[in-house]
């Protein structure tokens, strides 16, 4: 790249990585527009990166050094079998050369590595993106300056319009950038819900069983109608256990009425208690 203005819509993991890449590639001005006004690092869910990909990302400078990661070696599938004890019965396992990360710690490392030349603006909600090639023209009260008609237009919730040479969408599954490029694309509810959480790894000892006999593994617990994936991640205060439970939602809960994403603490009692009922069954 040689000069030019770039807007990155979304300032989480992908947004920070893209902003750093285009700034290092020679963009004249890079602006990140992140709708969340609070602390993104509070999102403590886990994610995994393949060892070979991590080497490539570090070599390119996309993955900063020093971000805490937990090494994983294998993936296990287990089913309930009372004869085998609390850990269930192993039905399959395979190599799994990955490292797991805490979302918040990974984001913080990427955010700190964003060059100072990048303008990172929080609390900026983008409502629409219009490509220059659409020929939509100026809206009411807007005037196009010289060369402005050749630039993409970013509309903000405040009502203002900003223009950029390039707009990159890093704004999630309801992306306004995707909507601008693929107007017919719509998310479709798949019929199940994903609950996510994590817990202090030290609490495994309270279960009275073997604790965590396979800390180097991702374990998938299989049951009729769903599954639960469990693996360790580093945490701000020490090791944690990340879990992801996939199952059908309660018929009378808020998730049965529409497809969306709820932050922690926002589920109603029926929906919020569903993971415990599924685990008990």
């Amino acid at each position: 790249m040689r000069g030019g203005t770039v807007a990155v819509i979304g300032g989480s993991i992908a947004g920070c990585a893209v902003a750093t890449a285009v700034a290092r590639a020679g963009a004249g001005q890079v602006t990140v527009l992140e709708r969340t006004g609070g602390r993104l690092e509070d999102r403590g869910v886990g994610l995994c990166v393949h060892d070979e990909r991590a080497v490539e990302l570090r070599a390119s400078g996309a993955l900063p050094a020093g971000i805490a990661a937990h090494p994983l070696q294998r993936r296990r599938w287990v089913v309930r079998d009372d004869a085998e004890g609390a850990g269930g019965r192993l039905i399959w396992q395979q190599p799994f050369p990955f490292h797991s990360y805490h979302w918040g710690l990974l984001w913080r490392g990427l955010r700190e590595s964003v060059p100072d030349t990048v303008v990172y603006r929080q609390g900026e909600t983008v409502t629409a993106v219009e490509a220059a090639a659409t020929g939509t023209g100026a809206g009411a009260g807007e005037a196009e300056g010289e060369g402005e008609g050749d630039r993409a237009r970013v509309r903000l919730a405040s009502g203002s319009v900003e223009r950029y040479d390039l707009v990159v969408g890093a704004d999630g599954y309801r992306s306004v950038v995707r909507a601008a490029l693929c107007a017919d694309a719509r998310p479709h509810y798949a019929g199940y819900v994903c609950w996510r959480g994590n817990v202090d790894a030290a609490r495994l000892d309270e279960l009275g069983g073997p604790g965590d006999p396979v800390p180097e593994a991702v374990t998938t617990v299989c049951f009729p109608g769903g599954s639960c994936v469990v693996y360790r991640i580093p945490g701000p205060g020490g090791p944690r256990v990340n879990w992801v439970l996939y199952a059908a939602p309660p018929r009378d809960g808020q998730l049965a009425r529409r497809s969306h994403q709820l932050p922690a603490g926002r589920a109603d009692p029926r929906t919020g208690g569903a993971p415990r009922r599924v685990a008990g069954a």
Side-chain angles (χ1 to χ4, degrees), residues 16 33 40 42 44 77 88 146 158 161 164 180 185 198 209 216 249 279 281:
C16 288
L33 302 172
L40 273 72
D42 288 343
W77 276 264
E146 183 178 353
S158 63
V161 178
Y164 297 90
N198 66 85
E216 79 286 357

Side-chain angles (χ1 to χ4, degrees), residues 45 52 56 77-78 85 107 122 154-155 169 227 237 245 251 274:
V45 297
E52 293 182 1
E56 294 174 352
W77 276 264
V78 301
W107 174 83
Q122 286 194 251
V154 174
R155 294 186 178 273
S227 63
L245 175 64
R251 295 183 180 275

Side-chain angles (χ1 to χ4, degrees), residues 189 191-195 223-227 245-251 255-256 274-275 278:
Y189 177 48
Y192 64 91
V193 175
C194 168
W195 286 276
F223 56 89
S227 63
L245 175 64
Y246 303 91
R251 295 183 180 275
L255 295 181
V278 171

Side-chain angles (χ1 to χ4, degrees), residues 132 143-153 162-165:
E144 297 283 8
E146 183 178 353
E148 294 289 4
D150 297 331
R151 309 173 79 196
R153 293 149 40 116
E162 300 179 359
R163 294 169 176 82
Y164 297 90
D165 296 313

Side-chain angles (χ1 to χ4, degrees), residues 41 43-46 68 100-107 233-236 240:
E41 62 263 40
R43 304 176 187 178
V45 297
S100 64
Y101 292 84
H102 181 285
W103 195 102
L105 295 180
L106 179 59
W107 174 83
I233 60 173
R240 302 191 68 80

Side-chain angles (χ1 to χ4, degrees), residues 6 32 44 46 64 76 86 118 126 141 161 175 195 208 241 256 275:
V6 179
V32 177
R76 308 165 68 247
V118 174
V126 176
V161 178
S175 169
W195 286 276
V241 176

Side-chain angles (χ1 to χ4, degrees), residues 49-250:
V49 177
H50 193 283
D51 290 352
E52 293 182 1
R53 300 296 80 72
V55 170
E56 294 174 352
L57 291 169
R58 282 193 291 267
S60 69
L63 181 61
I67 300 177
H70 177 78
L72 298 168
Q73 299 175 8
R74 54 189 170 130
R75 184 165 187 175
R76 308 165 68 247
W77 276 264
V78 301
V79 295
R80 178 175 178 173
D81 188 337
D82 293 340
E84 296 287 339
R89 175 165 52 89
L90 178 69
I91 59 174
W92 178 256
Q93 65 178 334
Q94 68 185 98
F96 194 78
F98 282 73
H99 276 68
S100 64
Y101 292 84
H102 181 285
W103 195 102
L105 295 180
L106 179 59
W107 174 83
R108 185 185 305 171
L110 290 169
R111 176 68 184 91
E112 292 173 351
S113 71
V114 173
D116 294 337
T117 56
V118 174
V119 179
Y120 189 102
R121 291 159 45 188
Q122 286 194 251
E124 293 281 13
T125 298
V126 176
T127 58
V129 174
E130 300 165 359
T134 60
T136 55
E142 299 174 17
E144 297 283 8
E146 183 178 353
E148 294 289 4
D150 297 331
R151 309 173 79 196
R153 293 149 40 116
V154 174
R155 294 186 178 273
L156 303 176
S158 63
S160 62
V161 178
E162 300 179 359
R163 294 169 176 82
Y164 297 90
D165 296 313
L166 174 66
V167 178
V168 180
D171 49 342
Y173 77 107
R174 294 192 183 276
S175 169
V176 296
V177 180
R178 181 184 296 111
L181 296 174
C182 308
D184 296 332
R186 296 287 187 276
H188 295 283
Y189 177 48
Y192 64 91
V193 175
C194 168
W195 286 276
R196 307 191 67 161
N198 66 85
V199 64
D200 187 342
R203 293 192 61 185
L204 292 175
D205 295 331
E206 301 173 10
L207 298 177
D212 187 1
V214 281
E216 79 286 357
V218 172
T219 298
T220 300
V221 182
C222 308
F223 56 89
S227 63
C228 186
V229 181
V230 187
Y231 57 92
R232 284 199 177 216
I233 60 173
R240 302 191 68 80
V241 176
N242 182 76
W243 57 267
V244 189
L245 175 64
Y246 303 91

